[in-house]
Amino acid sequence: MMMPAAKPRRSQADRSAATRAKVIAAARDVLCAQGYSGATMHAIRDAAGMSLGAIQHQFPTKAKIMAAVAAEFSTYRIRVYREAIRRGATPRESMENLIDANFQMVSRPEMAAVLEIHLARRNDPDLDREVGPSTRRFDRRVRLWAYTILHAAGIREDEAHQSLQLLNNAVTRGLTVEYIRNPNAAVVERAIQIWKAQMLDLIFGS
């Protein structure tokens, strides 16, 4: 009788990556359920189901965990936005796809978690130092994509459209808060469609 082959032992790198992923997922869930103040190291430990020592081996501080949550979501958003832009056959279609991809994030738990992190940066210098660099890189990437689309359409009013992008960010965050308070997808979707139509009209004309 042949014995089943033993499963190969995972490498240290694989184990480390699995631990990091588990901690990041636990932190995201705690942030969504309890907010930033409730996302203590002990709460994250309990949600992850591992020892505090194992967590601190990967993330010595809470700020580093929060930075990892924010960076992971930024990486995901960049991938989604890039693909959305590529699907557009014209600058207007690319912008419409980018707007759609952005507002699809409103209902994701990561969006609520990252919003909690950014609000907490005001009163936590360590958190601000950890989260700031990846946030600035993400913002620059999205601004560059928007400018590239606009310039391809022959639009050069950069200052006006920078203000419009700021307003769009505010609408995105506001709708995220509304979804947290009252997760009525139909109501949020109607608001998104109204704002999307306004944006496209302001940028490209009717």
Side-chain angles (χ1 to χ4, degrees), residues 2-202:
M2 295 183 63
M3 298 294 292
K7 292 183 179 180
R9 179 179 172 82
R10 292 192 302 171
S11 68
Q12 178 60 37
D14 287 342
R15 293 196 298 274
S16 178
T19 297
R20 288 179 63 86
K22 194 171 183 179
V23 173
I24 291 170
R28 178 203 64 209
D29 292 345
V30 174
L31 280 164
C32 290
Q34 302 180 40
Y36 186 80
S37 62
T40 63
M41 292 292 279
H42 287 88
I44 294 169
R45 174 203 64 188
D46 294 343
M50 61 179 63
S51 70
L52 192 59
I55 292 175
Q56 290 178 318
H57 181 72
Q58 299 293 332
F59 302 102
T61 66
K62 175 181 172 178
K64 289 187 179 297
I65 298 177
M66 299 297 116
V69 172
E72 182 177 81
F73 190 45
S74 291
T75 299
Y76 170 77
R77 291 174 76 183
I78 285 172
R79 184 171 67 250
V80 171
Y81 293 171
R82 182 186 294 117
E83 290 305 313
I85 292 167
R86 285 176 178 171
R87 290 196 304 271
T90 65
R92 185 183 179 106
E93 284 184 8
S94 291
M95 182 61 76
E96 185 170 0
N97 290 348
L98 179 57
I99 293 169
D100 286 340
N102 176 60
F103 283 108
Q104 286 171 7
M105 302 296 163
V106 166
S107 61
R108 294 188 65 89
E110 295 94 331
M111 193 71 169
V114 170
L115 183 58
E116 291 280 353
I117 292 169
H118 286 308
L119 289 172
R121 288 172 62 190
R122 296 177 304 161
N123 302 313
D124 190 331
D126 290 339
L127 179 64
D128 189 49
R129 280 192 295 270
E130 292 289 347
V131 175
S134 66
T135 299
R136 287 189 289 272
R137 286 193 299 271
F138 172 79
D139 289 343
R140 283 195 299 268
R141 178 74 64 89
V142 175
R143 279 198 302 271
L144 178 60
W145 280 334
Y147 292 155
T148 300
I149 294 170
L150 294 174
H151 291 178
I155 299 170
R156 294 291 191 272
E157 297 179 37
D158 288 346
E159 186 172 338
H161 290 98
Q162 185 176 2
S163 297
L164 184 58
Q165 187 170 25
L166 179 64
L167 181 56
N168 186 63
N169 290 342
V171 172
T172 303
R173 295 185 184 107
L175 287 175
T176 300
V177 172
E178 289 302 316
Y179 192 85
I180 294 169
R181 292 176 60 247
N182 179 27
N184 187 325
V187 172
V188 171
E189 179 61 25
R190 284 197 295 272
I192 288 170
Q193 292 307 313
I194 292 169
W195 174 241
K196 174 184 168 183
Q198 294 291 323
M199 274 195 71
L200 292 172
D201 184 51
L202 287 167

